[in-house]
Amino acid sequence: MGKRDNKTGLVADWKSLEKVFIRPENDSGKQTLIKYMEQILFGLHDFLNTHVGVTEEISLKELTDDFRETRINQDPEKKLAQVITDIIDEIAPKAVNVASPYFVGHMTSAVPFFMVHLKTITAALNQNVIKLETSKVLSVIEKQVLAKVHRLIYGKDKGFYEEHVQHVESSLGAFTAGGTTANLTALRVARNTLFKPRNGFDGVEKHGMAAALKEYGADRVVVLVSRRAHFSIEKAWGILGAGSSNVIPVDVDEQHRVNIKKLNSMIKEIQKDGKTIIAAVVGIAGTTETGSVDPLKEMGEICRKHSIHFHVDAAWGGPVLLSDRYAHLLDGIAEADSVTIDCHKQFYMPMTSGMVFFRDPWAMDTVAYYSNYVNRRGSVDIGIKTLEGSREANSLILDSALKIMGARGYALMIDHGIDTAQKFASEIEKRQLFELAVPPRLNIVTYRIVPERLQKELENSDPGHRKRINEIVSGINKNVQRKQRERGKSFVSRTRLRIHQQDRQASVVLRTVVMNPMTDIHILKEILDEQEGIFKELCCD
Amino acid sequence: MGKRDNKTGLVADWKSLEKVFIRPENDSGKQTLIKYMEQILFGLHDFLNTHVGVTEEISLKELTDDFRETRINQDPEKKLAQVITDIIDEIAPKAVNVASPYFVGHMTSAVPFFMVHLKTITAALNQNVIKLETSKVLSVIEKQVLAKVHRLIYGKDKGFYEEHVQHVESSLGAFTAGGTTANLTALRVARNTLFKPRNGFDGVEKHGMAAALKEYGADRVVVLVSRRAHFSIEKAWGILGAGSSNVIPVDVDEQHRVNIKKLNSMIKEIQKDGKTIIAAVVGIAGTTETGSVDPLKEMGEICRKHSIHFHVDAAWGGPVLLSDRYAHLLDGIAEADSVTIDCHKQFYMPMTSGMVFFRDPWAMDTVAYYSNYVNRRGSVDIGIKTLEGSREANSLILDSALKIMGARGYALMIDHGIDTAQKFASEIEKRQLFELAVPPRLNIVTYRIVPERLQKELENSDPGHRKRINEIVSGINKNVQRKQRERGKSFVSRTRLRIHQQDRQASVVLRTVVMNPMTDIHILKEILDEQEGIFKELCCD
C-alpha cells in the first residue's frame, strides 16, 4: 500500500497510544498540554497580527510543490509539538489571513476569540447530536437555541414557544452543515409537502419524482428565484431530482431585488400551461453578490395567495434581525414557510454551521427516517429529521455566543457593517476613477473602475459599442482585482453583474463585504488607493 | 421580538467588542486566554475522569426544565469565564461521557487529546475550503490527504498519483460533512453518470428524474444493498428523487453479509423486466449493527460484469486498511467505483467529518456547479464539485493525525478493537445467561440475554411458539439495556436482528462497539456482570 519507511526514530507503541488517550494527571504533563494551546493561540495570533496582508504571494505551482507525497507513513513522523510548530511556521503563512481587516472579499472574516474556546469545548465533549444517547443535554440545548432564533424570525406567541421549545415530536428547525444543506432541507420539505402521500401513493420521498409527477398530473415542478440567487438553490433542485434547469430566474430591479410585477406575470403564465407546478418561490435576504434584500412581504403575500411554499434564504442577512436599527430591512421574513440562516456568517461562528427554520413545527415530518438502532419511532432523537447524520453540538457555541454578546453586541457589528458600507459607497461616488454598481442595502458594496475616457464613451454610445467598451472595462477590473490579490496586502473579490438596465450583458465588478468590525472607512480608503495605484501601473506599463 | 431585560449589569459596547476581536498584546491578557483553555482542558478532563459512569441519571423532563427560555437577551448575560464554568459545572454532567471506556454502545468514543488541539487550530485559522481565495494551502492539503487515503484504498501506481494529487481539474474524492452526505454524493454521481447527457438531453442533474427515466426508457431506477445497510442509503435515494422504496434490500447470510446467490438472482430478475434500471449496488465494510463486511470482491465482479456502479460504504470499516493484520478483511474494496469513509469514526477525529472517494478521477465532473463570484470555470476551487458549500479545513486534522500516529498507531487501535471483540465473544459464549448473536468480524459484538428456561423452550418449539418466546426475550433485553443506561455506569446499545435462520422476525439484541483503546476485556466482563445483576433484579422483583 505504499507506506513509507521510518526516518524519524518515532515508533507507534501501546505506551504512546495510552499517553494520548489518558490525559495527564501530573502537573508537568498538564503544563505540556497548556503550552501547546499557548503556542496555538499566540503562534497563530502573531501570524494574524504581523502578517498585515492577507496572504503570502506565491504561485499555485510553488504552493503545491511541497504537497505531492501520497504515501501514509508507517511510523509516526512528528510529535504534536512539531506539528503545531510546522503549522505556525509553514502552513499559516501560506493560508489566507481571513481575520485581517483588509480581507473584505468574501463572507469569511475574523471571529471573536472566544469562539475558538467554544469550538475547543465542543471538540472536547465530542457529543453526537444525531441521538439523545450520545448527546443528552446537548440535544435539549439545540432545541432551545433553535426556538430562540425561530422566535426572532417569526415572533409567535409565548404559548407557541412553551409548547414547542422542548416538544419531543415537533421541530422548529434544524442545525445543518451549512447554508447549502439548509436550503436543500427547505426545498426537500417543500417538495415532499407538495407531493405528499395520497390515495395509495406514499409520497415523493418514497416513490421518487417520476411517480410523483405522474400521480399529480404534471410534467415538471419548478422553483422561482431571483437572478441573484446563490448557486446552492439550483444545486439543491438538481440534487432533489427535480432538475437544476427547473429553477427559473426572476428578473430583478435596479436594486437587484426581485421584480414583483415579473414574478406575478411568471406565476400566471406557468399556471396557465397546466403541466407545470410551482414548488416554491425563494426570496433572498442578503444576496451573495450585492447584499440585496428581496421584497419579502410582497413575495410572501403572493405565495400565500397561490398556496406556494415561500422559502427565504437569509444565510447572510438573518442576524440583521438582532439590530433594532436595521431589522426592518427584513420585513416580511415572518411570512416565510422556511428560512435559512448561517452561523459561520453573521453569527461570527467558526466554519461551518447552518440552520433552517420552519413556520410549521410539523413540516419536517415529511423528511423523517427511522432505524432500529437509533432514531427509533417515538424517540427524541434529533437525527430523525435532519439531512445530515452524525453532527457536532454547534448549538452550544451559538447559545454561548448569544449569552456573551447579547443581541446588542451582535447589533453593534451589524450596524457597523451597514453604516461603513454606506460611507464606503459615498467615498466611491466621490472618486473620479470609480463607479458604484449597486447602492448597498446591507453591508456588501459592488463597484468598478471606469477610466474617465471610457466613461464618456459609454455615455454616448450605441449598444454594440457599449458592449465593446464594457468588455474592456471588465478586463481592467479583472486585472486590478487579480494584481491586488497577488500582492497580498488586501483582498476584494469580483463577480459579474448587469449594472445598467440598457446593457444586456453583465460586467465585471469589484465586491467588498464589510463584516469585520475592525474594517473601518480608513482601511477601505486605503484599499481604493491601492486599486488606483495598480490601475495606473497597469495602464501605463 | 421578545428580547429580555438586563439583569446582569453587563453591557454590549464598542470597547468590549474590540476586546474580543483584537487579541491581547500584554502578558496579563494573554494569561487570561490561556487560563480559559486550562479550565476547558482540565475542567472537562476532571469530569471525564471522575465521572466514571457515562452520564448522570436524570429524566428527560428534569433535563429540559432549565432549557425552556426562548427569548434572546438584549444585553450580555455572562462573560466567557462564567460560560466555561457553567458548561463544566452544569452542562457537562448532563452530557454523555462518550470518552468513558464503559461507553461501548455507539460509534462515538474518546479521541486522542491532540485532536482537540488540532480542532482548535482549525477554528483559529477559520479557512473556508470552498474556494482557493479563502483557503489557499488548505485546499492543497485537502487534495493531498484525499490522495493518501485514495492510495490506501485503490493502490494505483505512482504515475497515477503524481498526475492527480494536485491536478487542478480532477478529483480523487471530497471531504463531506459526514457519512450521510458522503453516501449521498456517491449515489448522486452514480445517478448522474447513469443518466448522463446525450442527444440533446442535458442529463438528470439538469432535467430531473422524470425526464431522465423517459429519455432512458425506464419506469424506475433502483439501488441494491444488504438488509443491514445504514439508513442513509435509503435517505440518499429518497433525497435524490429516485424514491427510498427503490432501495431494494438484499438478503444476508448468517454472518449478516450479502448473500451473493440472492444478489445474482435479483439482478437477473430485475434486468428481465426491462423497465427497471439498477443504478448501483452498495457493499458495506462494517455494518452499523453487526460490523459485518460484505463479500466485496464478488460484488465488485458482479458489478463489473453488468456495468453497474459499485459503491462501498466503509464509513466504519475503512481505516481497517491501515492494519497489516486485518486489511485483508476488506479485500475487494479496490473494485469499488466509490467509497465512503468517516473521519470521526475510526480515524478518531472529533465530530464531524466524512470523505468520499472515486476510482475515476473525473467521476465528480457530473456534479459540478459554477458561479460568477466563486467556483468559476477553470478555477481550482474545491467547492465546484462538493455537495456542501462552505467547509472547514478538516483535512488539516486528518493530515496531522496521520503524521502523529503513523499507520502503525492507527493499526494498534484497529487491532485492539478486533482482538478484544473476539475475546468478548468468547466470554459471552462461556456465560450461561448470554447468547452470541453474530460472531464478530470487526469490532462490533451483538448478543442477548436468554434465561436458561427460555433457551430450552426455544430449542424445542414450533415457529409460532418460538415467536412468542422471542418476544418475551426481546422484552427482557430491552429492559436490561434501558436500566443499564439509566444507571449511568456503562452503556451498550440495542437493535433488532434476525438471529436464527428459522425465525422470520427480528429480536432485540445488545450491541457493543469496541473502539476506545482503553476498553479492555476486564471492563467488558464488568459490563456483563452488571447486566446479569440487572436481569436478576428485574426477574425477581
Side-chain angles (χ1 to χ4, degrees):
Chain A
M1 277 172 293
K3 294 160 192 166
R4 285 186 294 167
D5 292 336
N6 195 0
K7 294 172 199 152
T8 58
L10 297 172
V11 284
D13 56 22
W14 195 256
K15 215 177 116 201
S16 23
L17 195 63
E18 279 188 332
K19 260 197 195 159
V20 301
F21 272 92
I22 302 177
R23 284 165 209 233
E25 289 301 328
N26 59 345
D27 277 347
S28 86
K30 286 190 179 184
Q31 281 320 307
T32 310
L33 286 197
I34 294 299
K35 203 191 66 200
Y36 294 150
M37 275 297 178
E38 194 168 345
Q39 243 187 311
I40 292 169
L41 288 183
F42 298 106
L44 288 178
H45 164 250
D46 288 344
F47 157 69
L48 296 172
N49 279 357
T50 58
H51 205 79
V52 177
V54 300
T55 184
E56 266 190 10
E57 190 171 344
I58 185 170
S59 75
L60 192 62
K61 167 78 179 65
E62 291 171 283
L63 196 61
T64 54
D65 271 351
D66 293 339
F67 302 92
R68 304 191 58 85
E69 175 60 57
T70 55
R71 286 167 301 175
I72 296 169
N73 217 49
Q74 277 289 16
D75 289 291
E77 286 175 65
K78 294 175 185 180
K79 291 185 165 187
L80 176 61
Q82 190 60 45
V83 164
I84 295 172
T85 307
D86 287 355
I87 290 175
I88 292 168
D89 295 343
E90 308 290 334
I91 304 296
K94 292 174 190 164
V96 181
N97 185 357
V98 295
S100 163
Y102 291 83
F103 184 89
V104 292
H106 285 300
M107 294 168 158
T108 308
S109 157
V111 295
F113 68 77
F114 64 76
M115 291 292 188
V116 177
H117 288 77
L118 295 172
K119 192 83 176 178
T120 305
I121 292 175
T122 312
L125 284 173
N126 201 31
Q127 304 290 291
N128 183 353
V129 286
I130 189 177
K131 51 186 172 281
L132 202 69
E133 287 177 345
T134 48
S135 63
K136 219 164 173 181
V137 76
L138 277 305
S139 282
V140 171
I141 290 173
E142 178 158 323
K143 281 186 85 82
Q144 184 188 22
V145 178
L146 288 168
K148 283 185 180 178
V149 183
H150 190 283
R151 189 164 180 171
L152 182 71
I153 299 168
Y154 290 104
K156 302 231 174 204
D157 62 31
K158 215 178 137 197
F160 176 89
Y161 292 104
E162 271 174 12
E163 182 184 349
H164 292 290
V165 57
Q166 293 299 344
H167 198 300
V168 172
E169 284 174 328
S170 69
S171 309
L172 297 173
F175 273 78
T176 63
T180 295
T181 51
N183 282 335
L184 178 56
T185 300
L187 291 181
R188 180 171 163 227
V189 166
R191 180 195 75 174
N192 291 6
T193 305
L194 179 67
F195 296 137
K196 58 177 177 286
R198 70 175 192 193
N199 331 319
F201 171 72
D202 276 343
V204 62
E205 184 84 17
K206 270 215 159 159
H207 289 314
M209 281 299 296
L213 286 170
K214 200 173 157 197
E215 166 69 24
Y216 281 81
D219 283 345
R220 61 174 196 152
V221 55
V222 300
V223 168
L224 303 184
V225 64
S226 150
R227 283 196 187 282
R228 290 283 83 74
H230 189 263
F231 69 101
S232 61
I233 301 292
E234 269 188 52
K235 200 206 287 192
W237 213 228
I239 290 169
L240 289 167
S244 61
S245 70
N246 290 322
V247 173
I248 317 279
V250 184
D251 283 340
V252 292
D253 61 20
E254 289 209 353
Q255 310 285 309
H256 294 259
R257 300 151 38 99
V258 152
N259 182 323
I260 287 291
K261 243 180 158 173
K262 283 273 167 78
L263 177 64
N264 261 319
S265 63
M266 282 172 80
I267 292 175
K268 213 171 274 175
E269 204 176 318
I270 289 169
Q271 288 182 335
K272 240 193 304 185
D273 94 355
K275 283 302 203 182
T276 302
I277 301 178
I278 302 171
V281 168
V282 181
I284 311 167
T287 63
T288 313
E289 288 165 288
T290 61
S292 310
V293 180
D294 283 333
L296 305 178
K297 209 161 185 305
E298 291 91 322
M299 291 174 84
E301 281 161 13
I302 294 169
C303 288
R304 193 66 54 87
K305 189 176 128 198
H306 295 283
S307 300
I308 296 170
H309 183 105
F310 180 39
H311 174 60
V312 172
D313 181 353
W316 180 248
V320 172
L321 293 168
L322 292 163
S323 159
D324 286 339
R325 283 178 56 211
Y326 292 115
H328 67 90
L329 294 177
L330 269 55
D331 272 356
I333 194 168
E335 303 296 318
D337 293 293
S338 53
V339 174
T340 289
I341 302 182
D342 264 341
C343 299
H344 58 259
K345 293 198 169 91
Q346 298 203 78
F347 276 121
Y348 291 82
M349 271 172 55
M351 291 285 146
T352 57
S353 177
M355 296 181 291
V356 62
F357 299 91
F358 294 91
R359 190 175 41 195
D360 174 4
W362 306 102
M364 291 190 83
D365 284 2
T366 60
V367 293
Y369 276 81
Y370 303 93
S371 77
N372 283 327
Y373 45 98
V374 293
N375 299 345
R376 286 181 279 257
R377 268 168 214 281
S379 78
V380 289
D381 294 348
I382 292 181
I384 289 173
K385 300 183 200 168
T386 54
L387 188 139
E388 293 88 354
S390 298
R391 264 186 322 106
E392 63 199 293
N394 277 318
S395 60
L396 184 63
I397 302 179
L398 182 57
D399 182 54
S400 303
L402 286 170
K403 285 175 178 155
I404 294 170
M405 302 284 289
R408 289 210 172 98
Y410 273 108
L412 283 173
M413 295 196 278
I414 297 291
D415 294 354
H416 170 267
I418 297 177
D419 295 344
T420 307
Q422 298 288 352
K423 285 182 208 160
F424 187 42
S426 306
E427 177 67 22
I428 288 164
E429 292 195 300
K430 264 188 236 155
R431 297 200 185 197
Q432 181 63 50
L433 185 63
F434 295 95
E435 178 188 22
L436 187 66
V438 186
R441 185 81 170 175
L442 301 181
N443 49 357
I444 297 172
V445 184
T446 47
Y447 61 101
R448 62 175 183 167
I449 291 168
V450 190
E452 205 176 345
R453 189 179 54 81
L454 297 177
Q455 268 177 44
K456 283 190 185 131
E457 283 210 47
L458 274 173
E459 277 160 28
N460 309 303
S461 294
D462 57 74
H465 192 58
R466 276 188 69 92
K467 192 178 164 191
R468 281 189 298 279
I469 302 291
N470 271 325
E471 268 162 28
I472 294 167
V473 173
S474 287
I476 291 169
N477 282 276
K478 209 166 143 177
N479 284 330
V480 170
Q481 189 266 349
R482 264 197 202 151
K483 193 79 202 160
Q484 192 172 34
R485 183 182 68 194
E486 281 164 16
R487 280 194 182 177
K489 182 171 158 16
S490 46
F491 173 71
V492 303
S493 60
R494 67 172 201 267
T495 188
R496 279 180 171 274
L497 290 177
R498 217 178 111 203
I499 309 172
H500 299 285
Q501 296 285 12
Q502 68 260 49
D503 293 322
R504 286 188 49 203
Q505 77 283 11
S507 302
V508 170
V509 297
L510 304 170
R511 171 174 165 267
T512 308
V513 183
V514 190
M515 74 178 289
N516 187 330
M518 300 304 116
T519 301
D520 59 21
I521 185 64
H522 306 293
I523 286 175
L524 293 170
K525 282 180 182 172
E526 278 180 53
I527 291 174
L528 290 182
D529 292 345
E530 193 190 8
Q531 288 169 346
E532 287 184 349
I534 293 170
F535 166 72
K536 271 177 202 149
E537 275 172 40
L538 287 175
C539 80
C540 308
D541 278 356
Chain B
M1 278 171 289
K3 293 160 191 166
R4 286 185 293 168
D5 292 336
N6 195 358
K7 295 170 200 156
T8 57
L10 297 172
V11 284
D13 56 22
W14 196 254
K15 215 178 115 201
S16 22
L17 196 63
E18 279 187 330
K19 259 197 195 159
V20 301
F21 273 91
I22 302 176
R23 286 166 206 230
E25 289 300 328
N26 59 347
D27 277 346
S28 88
K30 285 190 178 182
Q31 280 320 307
T32 310
L33 286 197
I34 294 298
K35 204 191 64 200
Y36 294 150
M37 275 297 178
E38 194 169 345
Q39 243 187 310
I40 292 168
L41 287 183
F42 298 107
L44 288 178
H45 163 248
D46 289 344
F47 158 70
L48 295 173
N49 278 356
T50 59
H51 206 78
V52 177
V54 300
T55 183
E56 266 190 9
E57 190 171 346
I58 186 169
S59 76
L60 193 63
K61 167 80 178 63
E62 291 171 280
L63 195 62
T64 55
D65 271 351
D66 293 339
F67 302 92
R68 303 191 60 85
E69 174 60 57
T70 55
R71 287 168 300 177
I72 295 168
N73 217 49
Q74 277 290 17
D75 289 290
E77 287 176 66
K78 295 175 184 180
K79 292 185 166 185
L80 176 61
Q82 190 61 46
V83 164
I84 295 172
T85 308
D86 287 355
I87 289 175
I88 292 168
D89 295 343
E90 308 290 333
I91 304 297
K94 292 174 189 163
V96 180
N97 185 357
V98 295
S100 163
Y102 290 83
F103 184 89
V104 290
H106 285 300
M107 293 167 159
T108 308
S109 156
V111 296
F113 69 78
F114 64 76
M115 291 291 188
V116 176
H117 287 77
L118 295 172
K119 192 84 174 177
T120 305
I121 292 175
T122 312
L125 284 173
N126 202 31
Q127 305 291 290
N128 183 353
V129 285
I130 189 177
K131 51 187 171 280
L132 201 70
E133 287 177 346
T134 50
S135 63
K136 221 167 171 178
V137 76
L138 277 307
S139 283
V140 172
I141 290 173
E142 178 158 324
K143 282 186 85 80
Q144 184 187 22
V145 179
L146 288 168
K148 284 185 180 179
V149 183
H150 191 283
R151 189 164 179 171
L152 182 70
I153 298 168
Y154 290 103
K156 302 228 177 209
D157 62 31
K158 214 177 139 199
F160 176 89
Y161 292 105
E162 270 173 14
E163 181 182 350
H164 292 291
V165 58
Q166 294 299 344
H167 197 300
V168 172
E169 286 174 327
S170 69
S171 308
L172 297 175
F175 273 78
T176 64
T180 295
T181 51
N183 282 335
L184 178 55
T185 300
L187 291 181
R188 181 172 164 228
V189 167
R191 180 194 75 173
N192 292 8
T193 306
L194 180 66
F195 295 137
K196 59 177 176 288
R198 69 174 193 193
N199 333 318
F201 171 73
D202 275 343
V204 62
E205 183 85 17
K206 272 215 157 155
H207 290 314
M209 279 300 295
L213 286 169
K214 201 173 156 198
E215 166 69 23
Y216 281 81
D219 284 345
R220 62 173 194 152
V221 55
V222 300
V223 168
L224 303 185
V225 64
S226 152
R227 284 197 186 281
R228 290 282 85 74
H230 189 263
F231 69 103
S232 61
I233 300 292
E234 268 188 53
K235 199 205 290 189
W237 212 228
I239 290 169
L240 289 166
S244 61
S245 71
N246 290 323
V247 172
I248 317 281
V250 183
D251 284 340
V252 292
D253 61 21
E254 289 209 354
Q255 311 282 311
H256 294 258
R257 300 149 40 101
V258 152
N259 182 322
I260 287 292
K261 243 179 156 172
K262 283 271 168 76
L263 178 65
N264 262 318
S265 63
M266 283 171 80
I267 292 176
K268 215 172 273 176
E269 203 175 322
I270 290 168
Q271 288 183 335
K272 241 193 303 187
D273 95 355
K275 282 304 203 179
T276 303
I277 300 179
I278 303 170
V281 168
V282 180
I284 312 167
T287 63
T288 313
E289 290 166 285
T290 60
S292 310
V293 180
D294 283 332
L296 306 178
K297 209 160 184 304
E298 291 92 323
M299 292 175 83
E301 280 161 14
I302 293 169
C303 289
R304 194 66 55 85
K305 188 176 128 199
H306 295 283
S307 300
I308 297 169
H309 183 105
F310 180 39
H311 174 61
V312 171
D313 181 352
W316 180 249
V320 172
L321 293 169
L322 292 164
S323 159
D324 286 338
R325 282 179 56 211
Y326 291 115
H328 67 90
L329 293 177
L330 269 56
D331 272 356
I333 196 169
E335 302 298 316
D337 293 294
S338 53
V339 173
T340 288
I341 301 181
D342 264 342
C343 299
H344 58 259
K345 294 197 169 93
Q346 297 204 75
F347 275 120
Y348 291 83
M349 271 172 56
M351 288 288 142
T352 56
S353 178
M355 297 180 289
V356 61
F357 299 91
F358 294 91
R359 192 175 38 195
D360 173 4
W362 305 102
M364 292 190 81
D365 283 3
T366 60
V367 294
Y369 276 81
Y370 303 93
S371 78
N372 282 328
Y373 45 97
V374 292
N375 299 345
R376 287 181 278 257
R377 268 167 214 281
S379 78
V380 288
D381 295 349
I382 291 180
I384 289 173
K385 300 184 200 168
T386 55
L387 188 138
E388 293 88 354
S390 296
R391 266 185 322 105
E392 64 199 292
N394 277 319
S395 60
L396 185 63
I397 302 179
L398 183 57
D399 182 54
S400 303
L402 285 171
K403 284 174 179 155
I404 293 170
M405 302 284 290
R408 289 210 172 98
Y410 273 108
L412 282 173
M413 296 196 278
I414 297 292
D415 294 354
H416 171 267
I418 296 177
D419 294 343
T420 307
Q422 297 289 352
K423 285 182 206 158
F424 188 41
S426 305
E427 177 67 22
I428 288 164
E429 292 195 301
K430 264 188 235 155
R431 296 201 186 198
Q432 180 63 49
L433 185 63
F434 295 95
E435 179 188 22
L436 186 66
V438 187
R441 184 83 170 172
L442 300 181
N443 48 357
I444 296 173
V445 184
T446 49
Y447 61 101
R448 62 176 184 166
I449 291 170
V450 190
E452 204 175 344
R453 191 177 55 80
L454 297 176
Q455 268 178 44
K456 284 193 185 128
E457 282 210 48
L458 276 173
E459 277 161 27
N460 310 303
S461 294
D462 57 75
H465 192 58
R466 277 189 70 93
K467 191 178 165 192
R468 282 189 295 279
I469 302 291
N470 271 326
E471 268 163 26
I472 295 168
V473 173
S474 287
I476 291 169
N477 282 276
K478 209 164 143 179
N479 285 330
V480 170
Q481 189 266 348
R482 266 199 200 148
K483 193 78 202 160
Q484 191 172 36
R485 182 182 67 196
E486 282 164 15
R487 281 193 180 176
K489 181 169 156 19
S490 45
F491 174 70
V492 302
S493 61
R494 67 172 200 268
T495 188
R496 280 182 170 272
L497 289 178
R498 217 178 113 204
I499 309 171
H500 298 285
Q501 297 286 15
Q502 68 259 50
D503 294 321
R504 285 188 50 202
Q505 78 282 11
S507 303
V508 170
V509 296
L510 304 170
R511 171 174 164 268
T512 309
V513 182
V514 190
M515 74 178 289
N516 187 330
M518 299 304 117
T519 301
D520 58 21
I521 186 64
H522 306 293
I523 286 176
L524 293 170
K525 282 180 184 173
E526 279 180 54
I527 291 175
L528 289 182
D529 292 344
E530 194 190 8
Q531 287 169 346
E532 287 185 349
I534 293 170
F535 167 72
K536 272 178 202 149
E537 275 171 39
L538 287 174
C539 79
C540 309
D541 277 356

